[in-house]
Amino acid sequence: MNQVPPKLAVPLAPLLPRLDLDGDGLAAVAGAESAGLAAERLAAAGRLQDAVKTIAHALPRREAVWWACMCARAVPDPALPAADSAALEAAEAWVRRPDEPARRAAAAAAERTKFATPEAWAAMGAFWSGGSMSPEGQPVVPPPEHLTGTAVAGAVMLAAVRHLPEKRNHRLERFLASARDIAGGGAGRLQPEPPPPPPPPPPPAGPIPRKVVPPPPSAPRPRLPS
């Protein structure tokens, strides 16, 4: 068993209510004191999504948001809307300088998206990292502690199924390796996948075929009385 990286050597018990594990999942982590060991056991049991959730909630918020950014960049989308690209940049800017203006900027960038990409949820993870969820000047409403982990887990899973959902498990294994690197003090960078091929062009428009209308049936000829 590999040694648990320092930033995943946090107690598992306080995180369990956030993970929503079923009976088999709970059996897989039984006796695991740290979140990192629980994630390793879940991954070994093929429960990769549960391992992702465990790590998303176990990592410190700054490292968790960076992990979401690395996963998003590992599966690039050539058609990514500009607003989502800006959300990713805002999330990374907050990681590099996690102050209040950067946190608010991440929220503003996320609000300009449709919340359909890992980039958008990485930015929301940054916004929910602390401070207040209220507009500036309003009474302080601290974000619940689980929100950044929830946003990060969603971002990682969205990245895992982008373009080619059949590559989900392979990607999750790469993402988990990235998380272990980050938890050990590394950058967790991943080689980006090649972009998907463009869709085939539509067939050329030809002349509209004329609709052939069959002639009406001829009326029966009356029979003369014999």
Side-chain angles (χ1 to χ4, degrees), residues 14-19 53 56-59 61 64 121 124-125 128-130 133 142-154:
L15 304 180
L16 279 176
R18 309 180 191 180
L19 304 182
K53 289 169 62 178
H57 287 283
L59 281 173
R61 293 183 180 92
W121 287 106
M124 285 307 299
W128 285 332
S129 63
M133 296 189 297
E145 290 189 1
H146 69 279
L147 283 187
T148 290
T150 300
V152 167

Side-chain angles (χ1 to χ4, degrees), residues 50-152:
D50 288 332
V52 164
K53 289 169 62 178
T54 303
I55 289 176
H57 287 283
L59 281 173
R61 293 183 180 92
R62 184 165 169 258
E63 284 80 355
V65 171
W66 182 253
W67 181 39
C69 295
M70 294 302 95
C71 295
R73 288 197 179 278
V75 190
D77 181 2
L80 189 69
D84 295 84
S85 295
L88 179 63
E89 293 171 2
E92 292 180 348
W94 174 83
V95 172
R96 294 187 177 99
R97 187 170 183 173
D99 56 18
E100 181 64 9
R103 189 183 75 88
R104 290 283 180 183
E111 290 291 343
R112 289 190 285 270
T113 73
K114 296 181 179 179
F115 293 101
T117 66
E119 291 81 2
W121 287 106
M124 285 307 299
F127 175 59
W128 285 332
S129 63
S132 175
M133 296 189 297
S134 302
E136 292 183 274
Q138 298 297 317
V140 173
V141 179
E145 290 189 1
H146 69 279
L147 283 187
T148 290
T150 300
V152 167

Side-chain angles (χ1 to χ4, degrees), residues 147-194:
L147 283 187
T148 290
T150 300
V152 167
V156 173
M157 293 307 303
L158 283 172
V161 297
R162 181 141 67 186
H163 305 315
L164 298 170
E166 63 271 19
K167 297 181 70 173
R168 170 184 178 271
N169 286 352
H170 171 70
R171 288 167 171 169
L172 289 180
E173 289 172 354
R174 293 183 69 214
F175 295 169
L176 291 171
S178 169
R180 287 190 289 269
D181 184 52
I182 292 169
R189 297 187 186 277
L190 294 164
Q191 181 68 30
E193 293 183 8

